[in-house]
């Protein structure tokens, strides 16, 4: 079935001729935003980072290094672990990840995904050692690094570019969230849109792909804000986007605002509608890597009830096809 948007699976199939599966790793990075202003990071962040499903077990790999749940949440003890221990953790995660996707999906081709926290927030020497060690566990089709726009100085961009001859494509995922500076300030992001623009330009100059992370449903935002964000993504020629609906995680500043009645999250109907609006204002060539957040239910305060990814995508697709809408038709 021809989809009305540029799906990630279709993109990978057209480029590589087969499906490619991500192997996500947590390399014990922290985040500068959790240290800089004393507020504990962004308002929506519970400090646990994102992780692949095969790492979400009671016997998390971090426990093998003596980490407690509080250690994971604040990432304050990372400095006590040696570089060798971090490399060992990465290698065990890759081994476990490959085994999982081979067993579940019969996977044959893989991408390496540095997923959790800010994966360029370290010394250039440590970054090179971690990246080099992880890539020896390949072969990998793509190398993907998730980070913030203010953690991409030129020497790190150059380091990432040095891997372009070791994989088919190097990607950087950048958290923008919104083009509205008031929203960025409210969330405590501690960066501005100009920082994002500079980061994308620097990466593109080195032929590194960019995936922009945006959130729909932020407090006080509406369609005008979504339009501005889509136009900024188009303006910098971001190669891909990840769209997340706002989730409220327990223990966050957003959680406190939610309990006070200051913040609400979108219903399924509203997020479907907002996603379609955003897609129609996004250039048709931009790859859509994700359209909804999948925070585990034990960490999520709101929304409590939301369909799985496949049901959600089916509703988006059906609605767009019914109306004859396609990605980019309002650009």
């Amino acid at each position: 079935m021809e989809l009305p948007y540029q799906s990630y699976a279709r993109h990978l199939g057209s480029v590589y001729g087969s499906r490619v599966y991500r192997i996500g790793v947590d390399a014990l990075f922290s985040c500068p935003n959790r240290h800089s202003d004393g507020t504990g990071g962004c308002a929506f962040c519970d400090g646990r980072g994102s992780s692949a499903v095969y790492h979400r077990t009671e016997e998390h790999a971090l426990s093998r290094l003596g980490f407690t749940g509080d250690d994971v949440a604040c990432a304050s003890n990372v400095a006590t672990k040696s570089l060798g221990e971090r490399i060992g953790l990465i290698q065990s995660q890759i081994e476990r990840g490959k085994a999982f996707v081979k067993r579940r999906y019969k996977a044959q081709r893989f991408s390496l995904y540095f997923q959790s926290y800010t994966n360029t927030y370290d010394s250039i020497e440590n970054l090179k050692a971690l990246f080099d060690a992880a890539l020896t566990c390949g072969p990998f089709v793509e190398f993907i690094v998730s980070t913030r726009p203010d953690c991409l100085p030129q020497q790190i961009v150059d380091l990432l570019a040095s891997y372009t001859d070791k994989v088919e494509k190097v990607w950087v995922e950048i958290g923008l969230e919104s083009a509205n500076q008031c929203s960025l300030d409210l969330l405590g992001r501690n960066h501005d849109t100009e920082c994002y623009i500079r980061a994308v330009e620097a990466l593109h100059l080195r032929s590194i792909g960019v995936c922009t992370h945006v959130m729909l449903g932020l407090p006080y935002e509406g369609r005008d804000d979504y339009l501005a964000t889509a136009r900024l993504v188009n303006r910098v020629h971001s190669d891909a986007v990840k769209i997340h609906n706002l989730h409220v995680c327990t223990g966050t500043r957003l959680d406190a605002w939610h309990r006070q009645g200051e913040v609400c999250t979108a219903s399924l109907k509203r997020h479907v509608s907002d996603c379609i609006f955003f897609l129609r204002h996004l250039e048709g060539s931009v790859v859509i890597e994700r359209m909804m957040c999948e925070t585990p239910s034990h960490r999520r305060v709101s929304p409590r009830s939301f369909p799985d990814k496949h049901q959600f995508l089916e509703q988006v697709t059906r609605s767009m096809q019914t109306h004859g809408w396609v990605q980019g038709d309002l650009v």
Side-chain angles (χ1 to χ4, degrees), residues 41 154 179 199 248 276 309 312:
Q154 190 59 49
V248 177
I276 292 173
K309 176 175 66 177
F312 174 79

Side-chain angles (χ1 to χ4, degrees), residues 113-144:
Y113 181 26
F114 274 74
Q115 180 174 9
S116 301
Y117 303 99
T118 303
N119 292 273
T120 58
Y121 183 49
D122 209 330
S123 69
I124 194 72
E125 295 79 14
N126 281 358
L127 290 174
K128 186 176 189 310
L130 294 167
F131 295 161
D132 285 354
L135 285 165
T136 63
C137 299
F140 296 105
V141 175
E142 295 187 339
F143 177 38
I144 307 158

